[in-house]
Amino acid sequence: QRRVRGMVKLDLVATMTGHKGQVWSVDWSPTSKTLASSGQDKTIKLWRQEGTEWFCVATLEGGNTRTIRQIAWSPCGRKLATASFDSTTCIWEYSDGEWELAATLEGHENEVKGVSWSRDGDYLATCSRDKSVWVWEVVEDDYECASVLQVHSQDVKKVVWHPTDPLLFSASYDDSVKVYKEFGDDWECADSLCGHSSTVWSLSFNKSGDKFVSCSDDRTLRVWCRDENKTTKYTCKSTVCGFHSRPIYDVSWGRHGYIATAAGDNAVRIFEHQGGSLLLAHFQPDAHSGDVNCVSWKGSLLASASDDETVKIWTLDT
């Protein structure tokens, strides 16, 4: 379905340099207008606006020894978790005006590709090239492995918690999305969502959690809707193709309803969910001079990260 609306645009606010090598991940603090970024240089950088300019206000290093593939803020905004190619997850904590390395979680046998906090901060999920998803229980400052889920047959690229319910979703190189829920004292796979014909790179929920969008190496987006009266069952209601000429590496569904994509064609696209499908609302060609690896919304601000070693901030003009 190739439907174009063309009603909004992106204005470039800032281009931030400082990372050396690919920038893999950007994530906004849930409690402030602070942006975190991470990448090939094994560092986390924190960016904040002062006046009309954006500045790097902190660089966190020394936790991971290889690429930091993803970063995630805790719901309280005082912790940052990393997913690193060194097979570990580092937890950084803000206390007394400083960031300190509070914990290093070990257990994965290979590169950690994704990390995500549950909405209440009581759980942390990680996923790896070792095909497993780990659920960690957070008790004060202790992180205990609550479950090791080995359901995928290939590299697991992303883990995402449901925005309102205690459900965990994972996306994989095996072309599927898995859904997990707690049964008694353990976590189990409750559903397997198939439809993509290649690697599922990422997924993102709408505000209420009754829908999510997934993106893939097959250059399509799929919109999944929750079945009535079935808390874990989602069905693909729409497949959006023909807009991306290269793999779609990330997707972010903003609280305002607009969906941003990051792709291997250096572009950022904005879609609007309408009538059960997605309409292309804006196309930003050459948003970066390399693959766009990650996008993240904070209100009308959109952050993007790229192989071109930069982080960019855009504002959505509706």
Side-chain angles (χ1 to χ4, degrees):
Q1 297 166 318
R2 187 175 169 86
R3 302 172 68 194
V4 180
R5 183 177 172 86
M7 295 287 286
V8 303
K9 66 174 184 171
L10 287 177
D11 295 319
L12 183 63
V13 174
T15 300
M16 284 108 77
T17 59
H19 279 292
K20 296 177 181 177
Q22 296 160 299
V23 188
W24 281 110
S25 179
V26 280
D27 193 34
W28 291 98
S29 166
T31 58
S32 70
K33 204 178 281 187
T34 304
L35 180 70
S37 61
S38 72
Q40 189 178 4
D41 62 8
K42 303 169 280 193
T43 71
I44 301 168
K45 291 188 180 293
L46 303 182
W47 310 87
R48 202 173 295 141
Q49 189 176 19
E50 296 176 9
T52 58
E53 301 292 319
W54 285 80
F55 295 96
C56 179
V57 295
T59 299
L60 313 183
E61 53 192 336
N64 294 110
T65 59
R66 291 184 63 194
T67 292
I68 300 175
R69 182 63 177 85
Q70 195 191 349
I71 38 167
W73 288 92
S74 64
C76 67
R78 295 191 302 273
K79 296 178 182 177
L80 276 165
T82 69
S84 173
F85 287 0
D86 67 9
S87 306
T88 72
T89 292
C90 285
I91 310 294
W92 291 85
E93 198 162 339
Y94 189 71
S95 179
D96 297 326
E98 290 185 348
W99 285 94
E100 295 181 353
L101 182 59
T104 300
L105 311 184
E106 299 178 343
H108 281 292
E109 296 173 5
N110 217 314
E111 299 169 355
V112 183
K113 297 294 184 70
V115 61
S116 178
W117 299 85
S118 63
R119 63 186 178 93
D120 53 13
D122 290 344
Y123 290 99
L124 185 73
T126 57
C127 65
S128 170
R129 189 178 173 185
D130 66 13
K131 308 175 190 175
S132 73
V133 171
W134 288 47
V135 178
W136 306 81
E137 190 170 4
V138 185
V139 182
E140 294 181 355
D141 291 329
D142 289 331
Y143 297 80
E144 299 177 3
C145 179
S147 192
V148 176
L149 300 157
Q150 294 179 303
V151 184
H152 285 290
S153 61
Q154 296 289 340
D155 188 352
V156 191
K157 301 294 188 182
K158 200 75 172 272
V159 277
V160 178
W161 289 93
H162 190 276
T164 61
D165 298 338
L167 298 173
L168 177 64
F169 291 66
S170 61
S172 171
Y173 189 73
D174 68 10
D175 310 346
S176 75
V177 172
K178 308 293 187 190
V179 188
Y180 311 91
K181 66 177 293 187
E182 200 170 10
F183 290 92
D185 294 332
D186 204 1
W187 290 77
E188 295 179 9
C189 182
D191 207 0
S192 181
L193 309 180
C194 299
H196 283 293
S197 60
S198 191
T199 301
V200 186
W201 283 103
S202 187
L203 61 97
S204 182
F205 284 91
N206 67 348
K207 186 166 58 175
S208 67
D210 67 331
K211 299 178 185 68
F212 74 88
V213 59
S214 58
C215 65
S216 170
D217 219 64
D218 66 12
R219 306 189 297 280
T220 71
L221 298 168
R222 284 179 174 260
V223 180
W224 305 79
C225 298
R226 198 172 201 174
D227 292 6
E228 286 187 54
N229 305 321
K230 292 185 179 179
T231 57
T232 63
K233 186 70 177 174
Y234 283 75
T235 303
C236 180
K237 297 294 187 181
S238 177
T239 302
V240 182
C241 57
F243 292 107
H244 300 81
S245 60
R246 298 292 303 276
I248 311 167
Y249 293 125
D250 196 27
V251 61
S252 180
W253 198 328
R255 296 181 70 83
H256 42 48
Y258 288 99
I259 295 165
T261 63
D265 60 4
N266 305 0
V268 169
R269 291 167 179 82
I270 306 296
F271 292 87
E272 185 179 359
H273 184 260
Q274 195 176 95
S277 188
L278 299 184
L279 306 181
L280 181 67
H282 178 70
F283 172 50
Q284 189 73 39
D286 302 314
H288 287 270
S289 60
D291 289 1
V292 188
N293 297 315
C294 185
V295 281
S296 178
W297 286 109
K298 174 80 169 183
S300 62
L301 292 178
L302 180 71
S304 59
S306 171
D307 278 4
D308 69 8
E309 305 188 3
T310 71
V311 172
K312 292 191 178 184
I313 295 177
W314 314 78
T315 186
L316 181 71
D317 184 359
T318 57

